Amino acid sequence: MTQALPKLLTFNEFIEWYPNDGKRYELHKGVIIEMPPPTGTHEKVIAFLSRKLTVEFDRLNLPYGIPKTALVKTPSAESAYSPDVLLLNLDNLDNEPLFQKQSTVSLAASVPIVIEVVSTNWRDDYYNKFRDYEEMGIPEYWIADYAALGARKFIGNPKQPTIFVCELVDGEYQMTAFQGNTAISSPTFPQLNLTAQQIFNAAN
């Protein structure tokens, strides 16, 4: 007896289904994923990163903003992610067909930086979202692994808290790791005054 495969949802079906229950959901290749409630330390790291980026784009008077909730729809896979920190280029939102009604972006020009703060489902950040944000052409992707949850091949043995800045070069992400008091180098914000340790300290 063969078991029927579960029906995969399109993005539009996902948006129509999305309940107003206070929970966060993502669509991973047509499958609905309920996001686990964030821990307090996870939220503190998000708040710290959001503040640092906001101060910088405000200082430079750039037309950027960080929404409370918004989705990033990937180009080929039926996936929609809710990043921990999503920096939007507000000037490009008029070109986004889904933003006005569905708070969803699908164009790389709308997303200068996207950040995922790593939690127990670390493979999503290091593999699936890495691949999909790269394919979408988002110029800068941070993986903030403050609790050293990722694989040893990424963060060393013994594992060390690490911030990865992935810069899009010729269509591929080049990953640079930052640990300890190393100053983080951001292509979008070259004058950003921030170390990996400051981010880790925000979790305490």
Side-chain angles (χ1 to χ4, degrees):
M1 181 175 174
T2 57
Q3 187 175 1
L5 293 172
K7 180 182 182 298
L8 300 180
L9 270 67
T10 65
F11 172 78
N12 288 336
E13 289 171 333
F14 170 67
I15 288 295
E16 289 173 13
W17 164 88
Y18 206 105
N20 186 18
D21 60 3
K23 298 177 182 177
R24 288 172 62 218
Y25 299 92
E26 293 185 338
L27 188 67
H28 292 204
K29 293 184 178 178
V31 177
I32 294 170
I33 304 293
E34 180 182 342
M35 306 307 290
T39 63
T41 51
H42 189 271
E43 290 289 84
K44 286 199 288 185
V45 171
I46 291 172
F48 178 77
L49 287 168
S50 298
R51 177 167 67 92
K52 285 294 183 180
L53 292 184
T54 300
V55 166
E56 190 65 6
F57 69 69
D58 192 52
R59 182 182 72 82
L60 297 169
N61 199 29
L62 293 170
Y64 292 169
I66 297 175
K68 182 174 181 289
T69 53
L71 292 170
V72 175
K73 181 181 181 295
T74 62
S76 59
E78 283 291 349
S79 298
Y81 300 132
S82 175
D84 289 314
V85 181
L86 175 62
L87 185 64
L88 291 181
N89 179 353
L90 305 180
D91 281 355
N92 198 61
L93 294 183
D94 286 345
N95 300 319
E96 288 284 358
L98 303 171
F99 189 79
Q100 199 61 36
K101 290 186 176 180
Q102 298 166 338
S103 187
T104 299
V105 294
S106 56
L107 303 173
S110 301
V111 187
I113 294 178
V114 64
I115 299 177
E116 297 290 357
V117 178
V118 178
S119 53
T120 50
N121 53 345
W122 61 268
R123 288 177 177 83
D124 286 341
D125 302 325
Y126 279 97
Y127 293 108
N128 300 339
K129 295 180 182 182
F130 179 97
R131 178 193 62 234
D132 289 343
Y133 292 151
E134 180 183 68
E135 182 191 8
M136 188 175 168
I138 292 175
E140 190 171 338
Y141 169 40
W142 292 23
I143 302 172
D145 197 347
Y146 73 94
L149 295 171
R152 289 177 178 84
K153 67 179 178 180
F154 293 115
I155 61 175
N157 187 14
K159 294 184 177 186
Q160 298 288 325
T162 308
I163 307 295
F164 288 98
V165 174
C166 309
E167 179 184 4
L168 197 71
V169 179
D170 296 329
E172 296 180 3
Y173 276 147
Q174 305 297 316
M175 296 178 76
T176 304
F178 299 92
Q179 297 176 335
N181 290 313
T182 308
I184 288 172
S185 176
S186 165
T188 304
F189 297 119
Q191 294 174 296
L192 184 67
N193 185 16
L194 182 64
T195 67
Q197 194 62 47
Q198 285 177 290
I199 298 172
F200 307 146
N201 290 347
N204 298 329

